Amino acid sequence: MATTTAPTPAPVPAPLAAPSPGLAERLQRTWETAPGLLGALASVDHKEIGVRYLVTAFAFLLVGGLEASVMRAQLAASNLHLLSPELYNALFTMHGVTMMFLYASPVLSGFSNYLWPLMFGARDMAYPRLNALSYWVFLGAGIFLYTSVLVGQMPNAGWFNYVPIASQPYTAGLNIDFYALGLLLLTVSTTVGAVNFVTTFFKLRAPGMSVNRVPILAWGTLTTSFSALFALPALTAACVFLFLDRRFHTHFYDAGQGGHPLLWQHLFWMFGHPWVYIVILPAIGLVSDMISTFTRRRLVGYTWVALGTISTALLGFGVWVHHMFATGVPSLALSFFSSGSMVITIPSAISVFAWIATIWYGRPVFKTPMLFIAGFIVLFVLGGVSGVMTAAVPFDWQLTDTYFVVAHLHYVLVGINVFPVIAAFYYWLPKMTGRMLNETLGKWNFWTMFVGFNLGFFPMHVAGLLGMPRRVYTYESGIGLDAVNLVTTVGSYVFAAGVLLFVVNFFWSLKNGEPAGDNPWDAPTLEWATSSPPPPYNFAVLPEVGSRYPLWEGRPGLEGGNEDTAVRSIIHRGPPLDQGRETLGTTPLDGEPQTVLRMPGDSLWPFFLAVALTALAYALLFGAWRTAAVCALLVGASIIGWLWPEDVTEGLVTAGEG
């Protein structure tokens, strides 16, 4: 890992200033979003976009949870017929698609969008308009996929959408076309978002914030952004081939015409396994940053945790075949991918030991976020152990397509994503809203979710070992599955009640919560140096960073380890950059000031482009080729309008005007 070469960062460009009412007023006029609907549609403020991501993704979580609740009612006892087999297929497909693509990754993008510029001491993301486009296309993709419910054509071949069942002869309706085109829209959203995160990481960190001083969340999101850039082309190719097979009678997946159904599985899992880490590594970063605050010491093994994050993502590209052990792949490939699947536990274990050591050597305070962190560590270990078990080929052969895999999947994705996300909401919502969440409700919230989750999902291991296949809408009585399924259903409803407690706590606290103040947790990182909620410009003067924990400098006993406690960061004096929308550009490794960047203002073009792309998807869905051509022209026109040269002096606010 690169490190800073000087104990004191290079000086920031003169003149330096201290915050003042006049400066704040000028910056407010420059950066605030115009009121009204048009202002909301045109906003490129990373905080507004982050909140929209969080709200939208959480809404999809509730929808996906509702779908799961209906499925669990169907499976609560043997021989029930609350749902038809066809509707059950559609529900478990929409549940998987919603959780994997519309909740798990977008909710983490929401946190990173909101927090990165604040953690980096910047005014916005590197590409604010691209950021807006990413959200609008994500929203368009979600609406597009759920339109299938209105026309009774929901995707119904699982979130993995295997062919040949997903091919036209076996699923002739629009179901699979909704899936393929919806995922193509999501690849656009995720790709532009990933480019934005990568550029922001390397160009917009505060002066002095070398790469070994960034929060672990930044490492998690940066790593997954690179993963997305390399993994998404495989999904794009898979969906394009599928659409061509279904609409234009090509034969990419048709074994009878020279194609091969396993091509879909290879392409999907080349994307799908890295995607598993894309939806957990930023969550691990959230935990690594929060745990320092609640143990009152810096993270043990920061460098190893960062390297472990990167290693996990890299190894994640080499284990996709472990989803295909039962498809008849050669023995040599089985050995290679089985070994890779076991090796990937090493970097994950590093993070676990680092968290345990941080708690052990720190002074843990079990506020609600810390309870969720502790619960997450337990679930992380359980999910990891069951993952190692399925990495062993003979064991995997016995359990492929059983409920054991469903249990493992949920321990990984719910335990390692949802629990850190709820912890992060309790931790950072006070910064976003200015109000603390209720602590008593929070503790009820945690215990209900933790007990309900384990009561609901641990018995699935038993059901799998008893031989219950996954993706079945009912089962016979008298084969030993009634009790375990009833317990699972009860547990899942308790878990759902826990999630609803969080919703209740949020809305209650939004109105009645105690004022948060700037730094209610006495946390060490830069986002807590500004007001709650932050102003549109984030910081009146841009800070200069001298350590990983700038707000703990000069406070013996809080940083831990052998690092001295001299005050090296400069928080309340720095360049004001008030001549328009400006922020500092810094060098990629050491974070030395390099240039002043002029940032683009609010614009409707990202919204127009997202609408045009979504309309194009609908035109392709219904085979309206002339309409599709018009939509393609609208896409081109939106891009041209977006890139049309602007008056760079527009929006300039001078000191005299202020």
Side-chain angles (χ1 to χ4, degrees):
M1 180 184 300
T3 59
T4 184
T5 56
T8 303
V12 295
L16 303 183
S20 67
L23 174 61
E25 182 184 343
R26 288 196 299 280
L27 291 170
Q28 181 79 20
R29 289 170 50 193
T30 302
W31 287 88
E32 69 181 349
T33 295
L37 178 61
L38 286 182
L41 296 178
S43 176
V44 296
D45 186 332
H46 72 96
K47 297 181 291 298
E48 290 196 20
I49 294 169
V51 168
R52 289 173 187 175
Y53 259 114
L54 292 173
V55 171
T56 309
F58 201 86
F60 279 123
L61 172 71
L62 297 179
V63 172
L66 183 63
E67 291 162 347
S69 299
V70 176
M71 287 190 290
R72 285 315 314 174
Q74 164 67 24
L75 294 171
S78 55
N79 295 317
L80 289 182
H81 297 283
L82 302 175
L83 301 173
S84 66
E86 294 77 16
L87 184 55
Y88 186 88
N89 284 348
L91 274 178
F92 86 70
T93 301
M94 290 303 291
H95 169 72
V97 169
T98 300
M99 293 305 197
M100 292 298 293
F101 299 116
L102 300 178
Y103 157 72
S105 174
V107 77
L108 299 175
S109 294
F111 279 111
S112 293
N113 264 304
Y114 192 97
L115 294 173
W116 267 38
L118 294 168
M119 287 178 160
F120 288 174
R123 292 260 165 83
D124 207 327
M125 298 287 286
Y127 303 122
R129 292 183 180 177
L130 214 55
N131 207 20
L133 175 67
S134 176
Y135 170 74
W136 290 123
V137 175
F138 156 62
L139 180 63
I143 293 172
F144 179 85
L145 280 164
Y146 269 88
T147 308
S148 64
V149 178
L150 302 178
V151 297
Q153 301 276 315
M154 289 181 282
N156 55 359
W159 76 274
F160 38 80
N161 199 59
Y162 287 157
V163 294
I165 194 173
S167 56
Q168 215 274 342
Y170 301 98
T171 308
L174 296 175
N175 319 60
I176 305 303
D177 300 310
F178 271 112
Y179 175 95
L181 293 168
L183 260 57
L184 285 173
L185 281 175
L186 283 170
T187 61
V188 173
S189 166
T190 307
T191 300
V192 299
V195 169
N196 201 11
F197 282 124
V198 170
T199 310
T200 301
F201 182 94
F202 286 114
K203 291 304 296 179
L204 292 193
R205 302 194 313 275
M209 187 177 281
S210 52
V211 292
N212 65 339
R213 290 175 176 169
V214 298
I216 292 292
L217 170 63
W219 281 113
T221 308
L222 174 73
T223 304
T224 56
S225 296
F226 275 116
S227 295
L229 292 176
F230 286 99
L232 285 173
L235 178 66
T236 303
C239 290
V240 169
F241 292 166
L242 181 62
F243 188 75
L244 292 175
D245 271 13
R246 291 177 56 82
R247 293 302 182 90
F248 297 98
H249 308 296
T250 56
H251 306 290
F252 290 101
Y253 305 121
D254 185 354
Q257 298 294 328
H260 205 302
L262 277 187
L263 174 61
W264 170 271
Q265 290 200 38
H266 279 292
L267 288 173
F268 185 83
W269 290 117
M270 282 178 188
F271 146 81
H273 200 81
W275 188 258
V276 170
Y277 298 108
I278 287 170
V279 302
I280 65 174
L281 290 179
I284 289 174
L286 292 169
V287 167
S288 297
D289 289 331
M290 286 185 284
I291 203 168
S292 292
T293 297
F294 293 105
T295 55
R296 318 309 295 164
R297 65 153 294 130
R298 63 177 179 165
L299 177 69
V300 173
Y302 168 93
T303 303
W304 289 103
V305 173
L307 290 174
T309 301
I310 298 169
S311 304
T312 301
L314 289 174
L315 291 169
F317 279 92
V319 295
W320 82 88
V321 171
H322 85 204
H323 296 274
M324 302 167 60
F325 282 165
T327 59
V329 295
S331 299
L332 181 62
L334 291 178
S335 303
F336 176 83
F337 287 100
S338 176
S339 302
S341 303
M342 293 183 182
V343 168
I344 206 169
T345 59
I346 296 174
S348 303
I350 289 173
S351 295
V352 172
F353 286 120
W355 298 321
I356 293 173
T358 304
I359 295 172
W360 183 265
Y361 289 110
R363 290 173 284 151
V365 178
F366 283 92
K367 295 288 188 180
T368 300
M370 188 62 187
L371 287 175
F372 276 97
I373 291 170
F376 149 81
I377 294 173
V378 172
L379 302 179
F380 187 102
V381 172
L382 288 173
V385 168
S386 61
V388 174
M389 294 165 75
T390 56
V393 175
F395 196 83
D396 181 85
W397 281 346
Q398 294 298 315
L399 295 172
T400 289
D401 286 341
T402 71
Y403 256 78
F404 189 94
V405 179
V406 180
H408 164 65
L409 181 72
H410 283 84
Y411 265 85
V412 171
L413 296 177
V414 179
I416 309 179
N417 181 290
V418 175
F419 276 73
V421 162
I422 299 296
F425 274 127
Y426 275 97
Y427 185 67
W428 277 292
L429 271 177
K431 173 56 60 180
M432 300 176 186
T433 65
R435 297 278 182 178
M436 300 296 291
L437 276 79
N438 184 279
E439 188 66 16
T440 303
L441 269 177
K443 288 184 166 60
W444 275 99
N445 182 185
F446 166 73
W447 285 111
T448 310
M449 283 183 64
F450 187 75
V451 172
F453 177 81
N454 287 288
L455 186 64
F457 291 93
F458 195 84
M460 287 184 179
H461 293 99
V462 179
L465 292 170
L466 291 173
M468 180 173 175
R470 61 195 293 196
R471 306 162 198 150
V472 292
Y473 89 107
T474 189
Y475 49 91
E476 296 293 327
S477 61
I479 56 175
L481 296 177
D482 292 76
V484 73
N485 273 287
L486 181 59
V487 172
T488 294
T489 298
V490 171
S492 64
Y493 287 168
V494 173
F495 178 69
V499 175
L500 290 179
L501 270 179
F502 169 73
V503 177
V504 170
N505 196 355
F506 171 73
F507 283 108
W508 185 89
S509 301
L510 206 58
K511 184 177 181 181
N512 304 301
E514 295 180 8
D518 294 352
N519 191 359
W521 307 112
D522 192 18
T525 42
L526 276 184
E527 73 272 24
W528 302 102
T530 188
S531 60
S532 304
Y537 48 88
N538 291 351
F539 299 94
V541 295
L542 298 186
E544 185 177 337
V545 169
S547 73
R548 287 178 200 149
Y549 304 102
L551 302 192
W552 279 359
E553 292 173 4
R555 298 172 60 182
L558 280 180
E559 282 200 80
N562 296 319
E563 190 169 322
D564 68 70
T565 55
V567 176
R568 289 164 299 192
S569 300
I570 305 173
I571 306 297
H572 300 298
R573 185 173 177 80
L577 300 184
D578 57 345
Q579 304 301 303
R581 291 198 176 211
E582 296 175 328
T583 195
L584 270 181
T586 51
T587 55
L589 298 182
D590 289 339
E592 295 177 352
Q594 192 174 42
T595 185
V596 175
L597 299 170
R598 180 169 292 278
M599 309 296 285
D602 291 349
S603 171
L604 285 168
W605 288 116
F607 175 73
F608 289 152
L609 180 53
V611 171
L613 284 169
T614 307
L616 176 60
Y618 277 113
L620 293 173
L621 175 75
F622 293 109
W625 307 119
R626 291 181 181 177
T627 305
V630 172
C631 292
L633 290 174
L634 290 175
V635 169
S638 299
I639 294 173
I640 292 172
W642 182 332
L643 299 178
W644 200 260
E646 295 180 352
D647 181 3
V648 295
T649 63
E650 186 178 355
L652 193 69
V653 178
T654 65
E657 289 173 327

